Amino acid sequence: MKVKEIVDKFDFKVLTAPDRLDVEVSGGYASDLLSDVMANSRPGNIWITLQTHQNIIAVAKLRSLAAIVLVNNRTPDAETLKSAEAEHVPLLSTGDPAFKISGKLYVRLGLKD
Amino acid sequence: MKLRDIRQMLEAEIISGEELLDVEIERAGASDLMSDVLAFGKPGLLLITGLSNAQSVRTASIIGAKAIVYVRGKKPDKEGAELAVQKKIPILSTKFLMYRTCGLLFSSGLHGITDLPGSERAIGRSEESAFVQEFGIVGGDFSRAGTVSLKIMEMLKEVGIDPAVVSRASIAAYEAEMNVVMYARKGTFTLSLTPAAIQMIVADEGAGIPDVELAMQEGYSTATEEMREMGFGAGMGLPNIKRNSDRLEIHSEVGKGTRLAISIDLKQSKSV
């Protein structure tokens, strides 16, 4: 399943890199600890987090993640938006909390970890 | 010797960079293996190769080569040709084989890598020689944190290293970089590439680690509350580095700083 389809299905807001949504998603990963994401996420994962500072972009890029979903309608810092655009990392946002959006992706889309 | 003269001697076709033919060339190196080029390469080199894909141009760019000569009538692919224009690396293509190309250039006075006056590398030490690049890291600067690791990842990818190895190296690099950002005043990150391994030396001036063994334990962290709120300091940094490296040495002196030597074999030897 591609990022674009997930965006449409759950009405995520696309905050950056709208031209990079045609990417296959390998699964989901939910965590707010950056080292944990570095250690355990897989390339192509969609990353669910509440972290909004710009270091999440480096993590997403280093792990070749498909996209970052910010939960609870969190707004990223201006610097985060800037580096996400520069590094072509799609930043998405949802009104759902992490538990709910993880559950939805897992159950409704069958998107595993 | 000017590149223009080299072109004439090799009866070469100019693929790109016609405006750069007056560049002075002092030394040349010939190889079809880009990991080898990385190991012996030096800035200002004329790279002679039969490998005509974009990887050869990327490697030339990384080592700071002045020009590329493709032998055996090879020409760069589209991606390579575009990259060469972008990086301002002139490209020639000769019909001669590598042996003859080297012979002609050598006999007209072009130096090799190891025989240039003042060269610090002696013949026969190629096993130890490596491509080396150094980066600075500023302690406490979270806004730029991760940029060194990203550069290193791009670089390793560009030279065609196994993606699984690049992945492990990026994780180790990121954690090492973040440790400097979080706990030190400043540090240097030195990347060395040999034909066999990636080596990363990360040395900082900072608080040091009082008990390395304790710091290696999963979950142990001395991060501040502020760092933890940002999702750092989960006590996974050093264990992550250890898990992803083939060899890891840590030397730390309290009040002075910490030095990590991380080594990862290019031949994937462990799965993480």
Side-chain angles (χ1 to χ4, degrees):
Chain A
M1 184 175 312
K2 300 214 160 146
V3 178
K4 198 164 36 181
E5 299 168 58
I6 296 175
V7 166
D8 292 343
K9 198 103 178 167
F10 292 119
D11 209 15
F12 287 163
K13 255 183 267 167
V14 179
L15 305 176
T16 58
D19 53 328
R20 301 291 168 128
L21 304 182
D22 200 25
V23 171
E24 198 63 36
V25 177
S26 60
Y29 199 80
S31 176
D32 302 318
L33 296 174
L34 306 197
S35 286
D36 174 50
V37 179
M38 286 301 291
N40 300 316
S41 67
R42 299 274 168 245
N45 277 180
I46 191 162
W47 173 24
I48 298 155
T49 186
L50 53 70
Q51 298 289 359
T52 53
H53 57 84
Q54 66 174 300
N55 290 97
I56 60 175
I57 306 306
V59 171
K61 187 86 181 168
L62 283 162
R63 293 307 295 147
S64 307
L65 303 180
I68 305 173
V69 183
L70 304 178
V71 298
N72 296 335
N73 274 331
R74 285 198 166 221
T75 324
D77 314 344
E79 289 302 315
T80 308
L81 290 169
K82 217 167 92 188
S83 55
E85 283 296 358
E87 299 289 350
H88 310 294
V89 174
L91 262 182
L92 314 173
S93 115
T94 174
D96 287 341
F99 175 77
K100 198 165 169 187
I101 196 60
S102 298
K104 280 185 184 173
L105 287 168
Y106 191 90
V107 176
R108 289 211 216 141
L109 297 189
L111 193 63
K112 304 298 181 205
D113 47 10
Chain B
M1 194 184 305
K2 285 199 183 339
L3 189 58
R4 189 180 299 284
D5 307 325
I6 291 173
R7 189 202 78 79
Q8 198 168 13
M9 204 179 307
L10 301 177
E11 300 168 23
E13 185 185 335
I14 304 161
I15 305 294
S16 65
E18 188 152 14
E19 71 285 3
L20 300 166
L21 290 185
D22 282 323
V23 65
E24 270 306 321
I25 305 283
E26 280 184 9
R27 55 191 166 202
S31 177
D32 295 328
L33 291 178
M34 292 303 116
S35 56
D36 192 36
V37 174
L38 278 173
F40 75 59
K42 287 198 152 194
L45 187 80
L46 171 73
L47 175 62
I48 300 166
T49 184
L51 182 81
S52 57
N53 61 20
Q55 203 185 317
S56 57
V57 182
R58 292 196 197 102
T59 307
S61 164
I62 288 175
I63 63 164
K66 270 190 184 160
I68 304 174
V69 172
Y70 290 118
V71 295
R72 304 196 297 271
K74 298 267 184 183
K75 286 175 189 173
D77 58 17
K78 189 166 168 284
E79 195 192 345
E82 284 171 6
L83 193 63
V85 171
Q86 191 195 327
K87 302 277 185 189
K88 294 195 168 54
I89 300 171
I91 293 190
L92 303 179
S93 169
T94 176
K95 291 217 160 43
F96 299 160
L97 304 187
M98 183 179 276
Y99 180 76
R100 182 162 173 192
T101 302
C102 293
L104 284 170
L105 295 177
F106 182 79
S107 57
S108 62
L110 206 61
H111 294 282
I113 315 289
T114 48
D115 54 354
L116 191 72
S119 165
E120 67 273 28
R121 276 179 201 165
I123 292 170
R125 288 189 54 211
S126 63
E127 286 292 306
E128 297 163 37
S129 67
F131 164 77
V132 180
Q133 186 136 351
E134 197 178 291
F135 305 88
I137 305 171
V138 183
D141 184 356
F142 282 87
S143 69
R144 271 189 293 167
T147 52
V148 171
S149 318
L150 280 170
K151 265 187 220 151
I152 287 171
M153 180 179 76
E154 289 303 325
M155 214 176 255
L156 297 177
K157 267 192 198 165
E158 278 184 355
V159 299
I161 288 167
D162 178 351
V165 174
V166 175
S167 169
R168 285 169 48 209
S170 325
I171 295 173
Y174 178 78
E175 296 292 4
E177 183 182 358
M178 288 316 305
N179 276 349
V180 176
V181 172
M182 286 193 281
Y183 303 113
R185 285 184 298 279
K186 62 174 182 173
T188 52
F189 195 127
T190 312
L191 170 75
S192 317
L193 260 181
T194 71
I198 301 165
Q199 185 163 54
M200 301 186 277
I201 309 276
V202 187
D204 69 45
E205 293 171 24
I209 307 170
D211 187 340
V212 172
E213 210 175 304
L214 188 60
M216 288 302 298
Q217 281 178 26
E218 192 105 27
Y220 178 81
S221 173
T222 57
T224 62
E225 199 47 47
E226 196 188 354
M227 291 174 195
R228 286 173 204 259
E229 291 229 329
M230 287 173 82
F232 297 111
M236 296 178 68
L238 287 174
N240 263 358
I241 295 173
K242 189 167 174 58
R243 196 177 313 123
N244 285 285
S245 57
D246 288 303
R247 287 165 299 282
L248 170 65
E249 283 171 42
I250 306 178
H251 295 284
S252 193
E253 213 175 314
V254 174
K256 289 220 164 146
T258 302
R259 181 181 184 277
L260 296 184
I262 302 161
S263 193
I264 299 172
D265 294 334
L266 292 191
K267 208 164 165 210
Q268 174 80 304
S269 55
K270 67 200 269 186
S271 58
V272 178

